[in-house]
Amino acid sequence: MNGRKGTLIFWGVASLILFCLVVIGLFVEEAATVTDFSRTNLPPSLQYPFGTDWMGRDMFQRTLAGLSLSIRIGLLTAAVSAAVAFVLGLCAATLGSRVDACISWCIDWVMGIPHILLVMLISIACGRGFTGVVVGVALSHWTSLARLVRGEILQLRQAPYMLAAEKLGVSRLKQAGRHVMPHVLPQFITGLVLLFPHAILHEASVTFLGFGLSSEQPAIGVILSESMRYLTTGKWWLALFPGLSLVFVVVLFSLLGDGLRRWLDPASAHR
Amino acid sequence: MSLEASRVTFGYGGRKKQMILQDISLSLSPGERLGLKAPSGRGKTTLCRLLAGYEKPLSGQVLLDGVPLYKWRGACPVQMIWQHPETAVDPLLRLGDTLREAGPIDPKILERLHIEKAWMDRYPSELSGGELQRFCLARALQPTTEYLLCDEITAMLDLVTQAQIWKFLLQTAEKRGLGLLIVSHSDALLERVCTRVEELPEGM
């Protein structure tokens, strides 16, 4: 078994885990909000692996539902961000120096503001909640990918083999399909996957700070910020397990991106 | 019927706005082999890029049969061979695809350039500079090509490969009446292959 096969298997397993998390989370969303005051503040046990909270909610189910929501928000925002990044990067690289200057200025402007602050401001402006978080994260995460796409296409346009193709009479469309896409697409897809962990973490932190999802939604950020009040009274399981599982999902996404990058790397493409 | 540069001035954009080429004129007729020499940094490659239509002169004109070259669309009769063949082929494309990019290549050319069939399925990183340069030559020799600009095309090759490539180029140029512009630092090479040698005057 070579490295490429191993990466592929890892990809399959990791995607399956994430997919299952999303689906299971959707199913337990109802059960996660059930309160039962006969089982409040139970430490982790076989029946309740992550324990229960002060309202008797099963923390395992709440965490699953929260992760599912986080992943869905991550997918949505990463997709929107990536689409914005691709279009703007392409425009900046191909529509002349004025458009380029304008878009580059926007990129610098958005990058100049701390991410979390920008997400908070946009989220508040959009009325918080699901919409606020999605719009906030989507509008603040496209910059680095847009810069990457722009730089890559600009560099390709000056590459001798592109110039040669042009002079040999190869049509624009064929040039784009043959030379540009194979170079840009792997970078773009990798960038897209690596956007997920950022998006998920920012969603959770904004929610944790109280500017994101509302408290009746089973979000990891909500769970963590609520548990803060009970942490000092010894209810350690309220924050530990949801926090760890968030880290687990983020690391999984990050590894997926890294694996993809290695797999699509030009140097390994024909290994 | 010739490739002509008349009073061409050119400099790359930048803060200094320094001109690299100032008032350069030269002409190349079909069947002619013009040698061009100059010390490093005087703009030999830049002149080639202008003559091939990759850049537009700031003043003056590059004319092919009386028509400004940068206006040319589709396959250009002036083809440039780059000094570094590894940059002139797409690293992600099999060489067979690179070669056929602009259209089918006469198998006789491949045979005379000693391009082996097995190389067609390889990627550029698997071949040497000399082997890649053969592909670049074959690719540039489209039926429409009338002029070849050779920018130090054999500078980094061993003597046997150099000899092979020049022998092939001279024969082909002879047969098809191609005009060659040959840029080189080697006086011996220029003396051997060119019909006329010029030195690029100093810019500003």
Side-chain angles (χ1 to χ4, degrees):
Chain A
M1 191 172 86
N2 60 17
R4 282 173 76 74
K5 225 178 205 168
T7 313
L8 211 60
I9 291 172
F10 169 76
W11 240 82
V13 173
S15 327
L16 193 70
I17 293 175
L18 290 169
F19 180 74
C20 289
L21 269 178
V22 171
V23 174
I24 295 171
L26 276 174
F27 278 112
V28 299
E29 210 160 284
E30 285 284 288
T33 53
V34 170
T35 55
D36 181 349
F37 287 94
S38 66
R39 56 174 199 200
T40 55
N41 290 330
L42 292 177
S45 61
L46 274 180
Q47 198 184 352
Y48 306 110
F50 286 9
T52 61
D53 65 4
W54 65 97
M55 283 160 80
R57 288 176 292 193
D58 184 347
M59 288 310 286
F60 184 62
Q61 289 181 332
R62 279 192 88 193
T63 303
L64 279 178
L67 285 179
S68 168
L69 186 64
S70 283
I71 295 172
R72 276 178 286 146
I73 289 181
L75 283 172
L76 186 61
T77 50
V80 174
S81 269
V84 172
F86 188 78
V87 171
L88 287 182
L90 187 69
C91 290
T94 52
L95 294 184
S97 58
R98 283 205 186 154
V99 179
D100 185 22
C102 185
I103 292 175
S104 296
W105 187 82
C106 285
I107 293 177
D108 290 341
W109 185 71
V110 173
M111 272 186 151
I113 307 171
H115 257 164
I116 192 76
L117 190 67
L118 192 63
V119 179
M120 266 162 53
L121 290 175
I122 298 176
S123 178
I124 294 171
C126 293
R128 305 187 191 184
F130 185 81
T131 339
V133 168
V134 168
V135 175
V137 177
L139 287 187
S140 58
H141 283 66
W142 54 275
T143 47
S144 50
L145 194 55
R147 189 175 270 184
L148 184 100
V149 170
R150 170 185 171 271
E152 192 70 21
I153 295 179
L154 276 182
Q155 194 190 351
L156 278 171
R157 289 185 70 195
Q158 284 303 313
Y161 53 86
M162 285 288 284
L163 298 174
E166 167 110 35
K167 286 293 163 197
L168 285 165
V170 179
S171 72
R172 279 268 157 136
L173 207 64
K174 211 171 155 193
Q175 282 178 42
R178 275 196 146 190
H179 297 296
V180 181
M181 278 306 139
H183 280 95
V184 176
L185 220 53
Q187 306 242 33
F188 177 73
I189 294 174
T190 310
L192 171 77
V193 176
L194 288 175
L195 265 180
F196 291 140
H198 272 264
I200 290 174
L201 276 183
H202 276 128
E203 175 266 310
S205 23
V206 154
T207 305
F208 176 79
L209 292 172
F211 300 103
L213 300 174
S214 53
S215 53
E216 74 268 9
Q217 270 162 315
I220 295 288
V222 173
I223 295 175
L224 289 179
S225 71
E226 280 176 354
S227 67
M228 280 328 226
R229 274 175 281 159
Y230 297 86
L231 217 53
T232 44
T233 59
K235 314 291 186 297
W236 53 272
W237 59 88
L238 291 181
L240 183 70
F241 292 115
L244 276 183
S245 45
L246 180 68
V247 171
F248 171 73
V249 167
V250 167
V251 168
L252 210 55
F253 264 121
S254 182
L255 287 176
L256 274 182
D258 283 342
L260 191 64
R261 179 165 56 203
R262 252 176 293 138
W263 200 65
L264 292 171
D265 179 30
S268 80
H270 42 272
R271 208 171 273 159
Chain B
M1 293 296 274
S2 63
L3 177 64
E4 248 176 295
S6 65
R7 311 205 51 176
V8 163
T9 298
F10 186 79
Y12 292 99
R15 274 211 198 117
K16 281 198 274 174
K17 292 277 176 209
Q18 197 183 12
M19 291 305 137
I20 296 165
L21 301 169
Q22 194 92 33
D23 261 353
I24 303 290
S25 300
L26 65 82
S27 90
L28 180 64
S29 321
E32 198 179 18
R33 299 188 296 274
L34 172 60
L36 191 67
K37 59 178 184 179
S40 296
R42 202 175 270 183
K44 299 185 294 294
T45 299
T46 305
L47 183 62
C48 284
R49 288 173 66 105
L50 281 161
L51 288 172
Y54 290 129
E55 307 282 354
K56 194 183 149 192
L58 296 178
S59 74
Q61 281 185 312
V62 177
L63 302 171
L64 175 67
D65 303 340
V67 182
L69 190 66
Y70 68 89
K71 283 190 181 161
W72 206 278
R73 291 286 168 268
C76 182
V78 183
Q79 290 291 334
M80 176 166 168
I81 313 287
W82 299 73
Q83 183 176 3
H84 304 291
E86 57 274 21
T87 64
V89 290
D90 191 331
L92 299 187
L93 227 51
R94 286 175 202 277
L95 282 159
D97 294 331
T98 298
L99 195 59
R100 285 185 294 270
E101 187 165 56
I105 304 286
D106 184 0
K108 267 193 212 139
I109 292 181
L110 302 184
E111 193 184 316
R112 287 174 53 210
L113 273 171
H114 304 284
I115 293 177
E116 288 170 24
K117 278 230 167 62
W119 297 353
M120 295 294 181
D121 293 328
R122 305 250 182 103
Y123 288 89
S125 58
E126 296 168 84
L127 292 184
S128 72
E131 288 160 349
L132 292 176
Q133 195 64 288
R134 294 161 206 254
F135 278 95
C136 292
L137 273 169
R139 180 177 63 173
L141 285 171
Q142 300 290 323
T144 49
T145 302
E146 293 166 25
Y147 296 93
L148 275 187
L149 312 177
C150 310
D151 183 16
E152 303 203 41
I153 59 169
T154 55
M156 71 312 178
L157 304 181
D158 63 89
L159 289 172
V160 178
T161 315
Q162 282 194 26
Q164 264 183 4
I165 286 184
W166 283 113
K167 193 174 154 210
F168 164 80
L169 260 180
L170 292 182
Q171 282 174 354
T172 310
E174 188 89 16
K175 204 170 71 186
R176 292 176 47 172
L178 297 177
L180 298 186
L181 179 77
I182 298 158
V183 176
S184 176
H185 281 293
S186 160
D187 289 330
L189 175 73
L190 291 180
E191 205 170 295
R192 184 73 191 270
V193 297
C194 298
T195 53
R196 178 159 68 95
V197 178
E198 278 188 24
E199 179 150 357
L200 194 62
E202 205 168 340
M204 285 281 279

